Amino acid sequence: MASYSTNEFKSGLKVMLDGDPCAIVENEFVKPGKGQAFNRVRLRNLRSGKIWERTFKSGESLEGADVMDVEMQYLYTDGEFWHFMNPESFEQLPADEAAVRDAIQWLKEEDVCTVTLYNGAPLAVSPPNFVELEITETDPGLKGDTAGTGGKPAKLSTGATVRVPLFVQTGEIIKVDTRTGEYVNRVKS
Amino acid sequence: MRHDDWQPTCSARALKARAQLYAATRQFFAERQVMEVSTPVLAAHGVTDPHIPSIAVPAHGYLQSSPEYHMKRLLAAGSGPIYQISQVFRDGESGQRHNPEFTLLEWYRPGFDLQALIDETVALLSQQLSQQLAQQLARPPVQQHRFRDLFATVTGLDPLRAPLADLYQASPDQLPADLDRAALVDYLMATRVEAALPANTLTIVSHYPGWAAALSRTAPDTDGETVAERFEIYFGAMELANGYHELTDASEQAQRFQSDQLRRQDAGLPAMAADPRLLAALTAGLPDCAGVAVGLDRLLMCQLGAPRIRDVLAFPGDIA
């Protein structure tokens, strides 16, 4: 893997830090009058999701991380692993619970997710921005209410709970924005 | 390659403000009988300072990181007071306030001491900062501090005496473990001290520690410490100007070049030959003088309230 000097740092670059693959979020060049230059860097640890802040002397370098994002289809879970398939090569890869942790409540079979591979193995899974899921449980609401004010909790087939308008009923399919966890609309079936 | 990024990153207003700044600067010096000069941007030698990375141009030499050496050769040749607006280059300097190519206004005043040059620089800066596209504003307040006092006021630490561990402790960020005192003090200056400077105010910092002399003279301070006859001027937290009572002693200059070489070796930087023509000019005799460099792009940022240097450059490095 190539190594990258501080003057090649830019947001999105994947590097190794303390043994973990990280993505650079922000890189700020700091230089007092005539002295040593520094780079103040914010990185997202791709394993833990945590943000790290580090300062480097300008000119130092970090090893690149063998990390890439691929689109893969979610197939099923056996309880221990969540299995994904590359729709082009049909290659299947198992992701462990740590990798799917943030996506698990949105994972529906056959949906295409972004899988971050580190050294060829799934490190993190991001669900699609929008998913369509069936409501398995919600209080019966008023038929005439279409304003969507207030709302009520609804449990979805994947286990997630979102707030929905009162007129939405059990058994209906709704579209949800997974980035905010918010109801978007009903899906006509 | 994207082809939709051919347009300038700065506004038409910023382009106009730059033109006005150059015109006003030329008028300022014409009134004071300081002569405009033009020296090479591409020359055989770069600077030896390990903290200023020059851009090498194969078979030609280096893009100049400052017009200083050539201007000093003119002074030694008897030019009298001179100024220059020039493009200068520093490898790898890129960020909110840095672009690898930027604009320096540099001038030299034979017979001036440091305070006389500080006063002239403040006159120019406050004139420019109180003028925004023909709109007259109040002149900014001015305050002046010794480096050591200012550093101690903000951090509670003496930059010359505080244990390194205390300096590390005072850092807002996790730092590399192998920094020396100069680097630690620099970092705290660039983070904590700068951030604490009052907004919309010209802050003059003088009496720098001896290790930060670069090309300035050194002298014992009233408390017996060696200080550099150097100043910087900030507007708010933005460093705008750096000035020296210039070192004229050729043998001391040669020594500093040599110690730069050793520091370059220690840091694993490529060797950089000292410019023999500058040393010859100093040997022939540089008049007693003071000189200062002002970052004009940053001055424009302050005039326009622009947060990023790319807001005042027609074409910053990434789309140049």
Side-chain angles (χ1 to χ4, degrees):
Chain A
M1 212 58 205
S3 70
Y4 297 96
S5 153
T6 50
N7 61 28
E8 298 169 285
F9 283 8
K10 59 179 179 203
S11 118
L13 185 71
K14 312 284 198 306
V15 292
M16 296 299 295
L17 185 61
D18 296 348
D20 277 352
C22 297
I24 290 177
V25 178
E26 215 177 297
N27 172 36
E28 187 194 353
F29 184 74
V30 176
K31 179 159 182 170
K34 289 275 173 193
Q36 172 73 51
F38 298 91
N39 288 64
R40 240 173 165 176
V41 186
R42 300 181 76 221
L43 310 103
R44 194 176 59 254
N45 182 322
L46 295 173
R47 207 188 286 285
S48 66
K50 290 210 173 71
I51 296 288
W52 281 354
E53 295 195 6
R54 285 294 174 89
T55 297
F56 301 92
K57 284 194 271 189
S58 295
E60 286 187 322
S61 46
L62 289 176
E63 198 192 330
D66 180 13
V67 168
M68 59 180 197
D69 291 338
V70 289
E71 301 290 294
M72 297 186 86
Q73 195 176 46
Y74 171 57
L75 298 178
Y76 66 97
T77 177
D78 56 22
E80 188 181 0
F81 290 102
W82 284 255
H83 296 267
F84 292 83
M85 182 181 71
N86 184 324
E88 279 160 32
S89 65
F90 301 108
E91 179 194 16
Q92 291 189 21
L93 289 172
D96 63 15
E97 186 169 356
V100 295
R101 194 186 302 124
D102 297 333
I104 209 162
Q105 63 171 341
W106 307 115
L107 283 181
K108 192 181 74 176
E109 288 163 14
E110 292 178 26
D111 274 357
V112 175
C113 302
T114 303
V115 179
T116 303
L117 299 178
Y118 169 51
N119 291 336
L123 181 71
V125 172
S126 312
N129 289 343
F130 296 100
V131 289
E132 294 179 357
L133 297 170
E134 187 188 339
I135 296 176
T136 54
E137 198 185 319
T138 188
D139 287 340
L142 297 168
K143 263 258 149 56
D145 178 274
T146 53
T149 49
K152 59 182 179 180
K155 198 169 178 194
L156 307 179
S157 55
T158 54
T161 300
V162 296
R163 284 200 81 76
V164 299
L166 296 177
F167 60 81
V168 178
Q169 303 299 332
T170 301
E172 287 189 294
I173 295 179
I174 61 164
K175 184 170 167 183
V176 180
D177 186 331
T178 61
R179 294 160 298 185
T180 58
E182 280 169 9
Y183 165 90
V184 179
N185 54 249
R186 277 194 294 187
V187 180
K188 297 248 161 55
S189 49
Chain B
M1 175 66 83
R2 290 169 54 202
H3 293 293
D4 58 350
D5 60 0
W6 60 270
Q7 292 203 336
T9 54
C10 73
S11 62
R13 179 166 170 260
L15 281 179
K16 194 172 165 193
R18 180 180 293 270
Q20 287 190 0
L21 174 61
Y22 287 13
T25 301
R26 291 191 160 108
Q27 194 189 341
F28 180 92
F29 288 111
E31 283 165 5
R32 287 167 169 75
Q33 275 93 48
V34 179
M35 177 171 68
E36 181 165 14
V37 296
S38 176
T39 62
V41 162
L42 178 59
H45 289 84
V47 292
T48 51
D49 188 326
H51 299 315
I52 302 182
S54 297
I55 296 177
V57 181
H60 289 278
Y62 298 89
L63 292 173
Q64 298 298 284
S65 56
S66 135
E68 179 156 10
Y69 290 5
H70 292 102
M71 291 181 82
K72 284 183 172 169
R73 284 164 65 184
L74 287 176
L75 290 160
S79 66
I82 49 175
Y83 80 96
Q84 176 162 211
I85 296 173
S86 63
Q87 295 302 101
V88 296
F89 301 82
R90 299 191 185 172
D91 197 12
E93 300 201 352
S94 186
Q96 293 270 96
R97 300 175 175 191
H98 294 84
N99 191 61
E101 174 177 355
F102 60 103
T103 316
L104 266 191
L105 162 64
E106 185 147 327
W107 77 96
Y108 291 87
R109 284 294 216 159
F112 270 36
D113 64 9
L114 205 60
Q115 194 58 48
L117 187 62
I118 289 173
D119 294 344
E120 188 167 67
T121 311
V122 167
L124 175 77
L125 293 178
S126 62
Q127 183 198 74
Q128 286 311 307
L129 290 166
S130 59
Q131 254 163 19
Q132 289 179 2
L133 300 172
Q135 196 189 349
Q136 194 69 38
L137 308 168
R139 297 209 163 208
V142 180
Q143 55 174 36
Q144 187 161 351
H145 303 280
R146 298 196 322 166
F147 182 95
R148 193 177 182 184
D149 302 338
L150 177 66
F151 191 93
T153 306
V154 176
T155 64
L157 296 171
D158 179 353
L160 305 182
R161 297 265 177 277
L164 294 194
D166 291 1
L167 292 168
Y168 266 109
Q169 197 86 52
S171 164
D173 306 299
Q174 187 182 342
L175 295 176
D178 60 344
L179 298 183
D180 59 15
R181 175 176 302 275
L184 279 167
V185 168
D186 280 344
Y187 192 76
L188 293 175
M189 188 68 191
T191 50
R192 290 195 52 191
V193 179
E194 279 184 14
L197 296 177
N200 301 317
T201 300
L202 285 170
T203 301
I204 300 149
V205 185
S206 62
H207 299 76
Y208 273 73
W211 72 66
L215 301 180
S216 67
R217 296 181 187 209
T218 53
D221 202 357
T222 46
D223 51 17
E225 300 289 348
T226 299
V227 292
E229 290 192 58
R230 171 184 163 195
F231 67 90
E232 293 222 14
I233 302 181
Y234 292 83
F235 182 64
M238 179 83 86
E239 180 207 357
L240 286 180
N242 177 50
Y244 300 140
H245 190 184
E246 301 293 343
L247 183 65
T248 54
D249 182 334
S251 66
E252 183 170 350
Q253 185 64 68
Q255 261 173 24
R256 289 194 197 174
F257 279 160
Q258 258 177 359
S259 90
D260 278 352
Q261 298 294 10
L262 294 175
R263 285 159 68 210
R264 293 184 76 88
Q265 269 178 18
D266 286 349
L269 295 168
M272 186 69 99
D275 185 346
R277 294 188 180 93
L278 173 67
L279 289 171
L282 293 181
T283 306
L286 179 67
D288 181 35
C289 66
V292 62
V294 172
L296 291 189
D297 308 306
R298 291 188 181 177
L299 181 52
L300 275 168
M301 289 167 71
C302 293
Q303 270 188 336
L304 298 168
R308 302 170 307 171
I309 196 168
R310 61 192 297 114
D311 300 330
V312 301
L313 298 173
F315 304 110
D318 57 322
I319 61 159

